[in-house]
Short mmCIF file of all heavy atoms in Angstrom, two decimals:
data_model
loop_
_atom_site.label_atom_id
_atom_site.label_comp_id
_atom_site.label_asym_id
_atom_site.label_seq_id
_atom_site.Cartn_x
_atom_site.Cartn_y
_atom_site.Cartn_z
N GLY A 1 -1.48 -11.78 4.73
CA GLY A 1 -2.85 -12.16 4.43
C GLY A 1 -3.09 -12.19 2.93
O GLY A 1 -2.41 -11.52 2.16
N GLY A 3 -6.51 -12.06 1.70
CA GLY A 3 -7.91 -11.75 1.51
C GLY A 3 -8.09 -10.71 0.42
O GLY A 3 -7.15 -10.37 -0.31
N LEU A 21 5.41 -11.22 -10.72
CA LEU A 21 4.67 -12.04 -9.76
C LEU A 21 5.61 -12.76 -8.81
O LEU A 21 5.30 -12.95 -7.63
CB LEU A 21 3.79 -13.04 -10.50
CG LEU A 21 2.94 -13.99 -9.63
CD1 LEU A 21 2.05 -13.20 -8.68
CD2 LEU A 21 2.11 -14.91 -10.50
N ASN A 23 8.06 -11.70 -7.40
CA ASN A 23 8.54 -10.81 -6.35
C ASN A 23 7.48 -10.54 -5.29
O ASN A 23 7.69 -9.72 -4.39
CB ASN A 23 8.99 -9.47 -6.95
CG ASN A 23 10.29 -9.59 -7.72
OD1 ASN A 23 10.91 -10.65 -7.73
ND2 ASN A 23 10.71 -8.52 -8.37
N LEU A 26 2.36 -14.07 -0.87
CA LEU A 26 1.20 -13.92 0.01
C LEU A 26 1.15 -15.08 1.00
O LEU A 26 1.73 -16.14 0.76
CB LEU A 26 -0.09 -13.89 -0.82
CG LEU A 26 -0.24 -12.73 -1.81
CD1 LEU A 26 -1.48 -12.95 -2.69
CD2 LEU A 26 -0.34 -11.41 -1.08
N LEU A 33 1.38 -18.94 0.63
CA LEU A 33 0.42 -19.33 -0.39
C LEU A 33 1.19 -19.86 -1.60
O LEU A 33 1.98 -19.13 -2.20
CB LEU A 33 -0.43 -18.12 -0.78
CG LEU A 33 -1.66 -18.36 -1.67
CD1 LEU A 33 -2.69 -19.20 -0.93
CD2 LEU A 33 -2.25 -17.03 -2.10
N SER A 53 -4.19 -17.68 -8.39
CA SER A 53 -3.59 -16.89 -9.45
C SER A 53 -2.38 -16.09 -8.99
O SER A 53 -1.55 -15.69 -9.81
CB SER A 53 -4.63 -15.94 -10.05
OG SER A 53 -4.99 -14.91 -9.11
N HIS A 66 7.57 -22.95 6.01
CA HIS A 66 6.72 -22.00 5.28
C HIS A 66 5.48 -21.60 6.07
O HIS A 66 4.58 -20.96 5.52
CB HIS A 66 6.29 -22.60 3.94
CG HIS A 66 5.42 -23.83 4.05
ND1 HIS A 66 5.90 -25.06 4.41
CD2 HIS A 66 4.09 -23.97 3.87
CE1 HIS A 66 4.91 -25.93 4.43
NE2 HIS A 66 3.80 -25.29 4.11
N ARG A 77 13.38 -12.47 1.75
CA ARG A 77 14.07 -11.18 1.91
C ARG A 77 13.28 -10.01 1.29
O ARG A 77 13.78 -9.28 0.43
CB ARG A 77 15.47 -11.26 1.30
CG ARG A 77 16.28 -12.43 1.79
CD ARG A 77 17.64 -12.54 1.12
NE ARG A 77 18.51 -11.45 1.56
CZ ARG A 77 19.22 -11.47 2.69
NH1 ARG A 77 19.16 -12.52 3.50
NH2 ARG A 77 19.99 -10.45 3.01
N VAL A 96 9.67 -11.07 13.70
CA VAL A 96 9.38 -10.70 12.30
C VAL A 96 10.03 -9.37 11.96
O VAL A 96 10.65 -9.21 10.90
CB VAL A 96 7.86 -10.65 12.08
CG1 VAL A 96 7.54 -10.01 10.71
CG2 VAL A 96 7.24 -12.03 12.16
N LYS A 98 12.57 -7.88 13.48
CA LYS A 98 14.03 -8.04 13.48
C LYS A 98 14.50 -8.70 12.18
O LYS A 98 15.55 -8.34 11.63
CB LYS A 98 14.47 -8.87 14.68
CG LYS A 98 14.28 -8.20 16.04
CD LYS A 98 15.17 -6.98 16.20
CE LYS A 98 15.06 -6.38 17.59
NZ LYS A 98 15.86 -5.12 17.74
N PRO A 109 13.33 -1.10 5.94
CA PRO A 109 12.19 -1.92 5.52
C PRO A 109 10.88 -1.14 5.68
O PRO A 109 10.73 -0.32 6.59
CB PRO A 109 12.24 -3.09 6.50
CG PRO A 109 12.86 -2.51 7.74
CD PRO A 109 13.87 -1.51 7.25
N ALA A 121 -4.82 -4.47 14.63
CA ALA A 121 -3.59 -4.12 13.90
C ALA A 121 -2.53 -5.20 14.05
O ALA A 121 -2.35 -5.78 15.12
CB ALA A 121 -3.04 -2.79 14.41
N GLU A 126 4.39 2.03 17.90
CA GLU A 126 5.47 2.03 18.89
C GLU A 126 6.36 0.81 18.74
O GLU A 126 7.60 0.91 18.73
CB GLU A 126 4.88 2.09 20.31
CG GLU A 126 5.93 2.18 21.40
CD GLU A 126 5.31 2.32 22.78
OE1 GLU A 126 4.11 2.06 22.93
OE2 GLU A 126 6.05 2.72 23.71
N SER A 140 -0.11 2.67 8.73
CA SER A 140 -1.13 1.88 9.43
C SER A 140 -2.52 2.18 8.88
O SER A 140 -2.76 3.19 8.23
CB SER A 140 -1.08 2.19 10.93
OG SER A 140 -1.32 3.58 11.15
N VAL A 163 -9.21 7.64 1.79
CA VAL A 163 -9.66 9.04 1.72
C VAL A 163 -8.69 9.89 0.92
O VAL A 163 -9.06 10.94 0.38
CB VAL A 163 -9.84 9.62 3.14
CG1 VAL A 163 -8.48 9.82 3.83
CG2 VAL A 163 -10.59 10.94 3.11
N CYS A 165 -7.42 8.90 -1.89
CA CYS A 165 -7.61 8.58 -3.31
C CYS A 165 -9.02 8.83 -3.83
O CYS A 165 -9.21 9.49 -4.86
CB CYS A 165 -7.25 7.12 -3.56
SG CYS A 165 -5.48 6.76 -3.63
N VAL A 185 -6.49 3.53 -13.37
CA VAL A 185 -6.84 4.80 -12.74
C VAL A 185 -6.47 4.78 -11.26
O VAL A 185 -5.96 5.76 -10.71
CB VAL A 185 -8.35 5.10 -12.91
CG1 VAL A 185 -8.79 6.22 -11.98
CG2 VAL A 185 -8.65 5.47 -14.36
N ALA A 190 -2.89 6.43 -6.73
CA ALA A 190 -1.95 6.12 -5.65
C ALA A 190 -0.60 6.79 -5.89
O ALA A 190 0.02 7.31 -4.95
CB ALA A 190 -1.78 4.60 -5.53
N VAL A 217 -4.09 17.31 -1.81
CA VAL A 217 -3.83 15.98 -2.34
C VAL A 217 -4.96 15.54 -3.26
O VAL A 217 -4.72 14.98 -4.33
CB VAL A 217 -3.65 14.96 -1.19
CG1 VAL A 217 -3.48 13.55 -1.74
CG2 VAL A 217 -2.46 15.33 -0.32
N ARG A 231 -5.44 10.63 -21.83
CA ARG A 231 -4.46 9.86 -22.61
C ARG A 231 -5.07 8.56 -23.14
O ARG A 231 -4.73 8.11 -24.23
CB ARG A 231 -3.23 9.54 -21.75
CG ARG A 231 -2.27 10.71 -21.58
CD ARG A 231 -0.94 10.24 -21.01
NE ARG A 231 -1.07 9.72 -19.65
CZ ARG A 231 -0.96 10.44 -18.55
NH1 ARG A 231 -0.74 11.75 -18.64
NH2 ARG A 231 -1.09 9.91 -17.37
N GLN A 236 -14.59 12.42 -21.97
CA GLN A 236 -15.51 12.98 -22.96
C GLN A 236 -15.50 14.50 -22.94
O GLN A 236 -16.12 15.14 -23.80
CB GLN A 236 -16.93 12.45 -22.71
CG GLN A 236 -17.02 10.93 -22.82
CD GLN A 236 -18.40 10.41 -22.54
OE1 GLN A 236 -19.33 10.59 -23.33
NE2 GLN A 236 -18.57 9.77 -21.38
N LEU A 238 -12.52 17.55 -22.56
CA LEU A 238 -11.11 17.90 -22.43
C LEU A 238 -10.97 19.10 -21.50
O LEU A 238 -11.56 20.14 -21.73
CB LEU A 238 -10.52 18.23 -23.81
CG LEU A 238 -9.01 18.46 -23.86
CD1 LEU A 238 -8.26 17.17 -23.56
CD2 LEU A 238 -8.61 19.00 -25.24
N GLY A 240 -7.87 20.37 -20.56
CA GLY A 240 -6.61 21.06 -20.78
C GLY A 240 -5.60 20.13 -21.40
O GLY A 240 -5.75 18.91 -21.35
#
Side-chain angles (χ1 to χ4, degrees):
L21 180 56
N23 288 355
L26 297 172
L33 190 65
S53 69
H66 65 285
R77 308 177 70 83
V96 169
K98 292 294 185 184
E126 184 176 16
S140 60
V163 70
C165 283
V185 166
V217 176
R231 283 193 295 270
Q236 299 179 71
L238 187 67

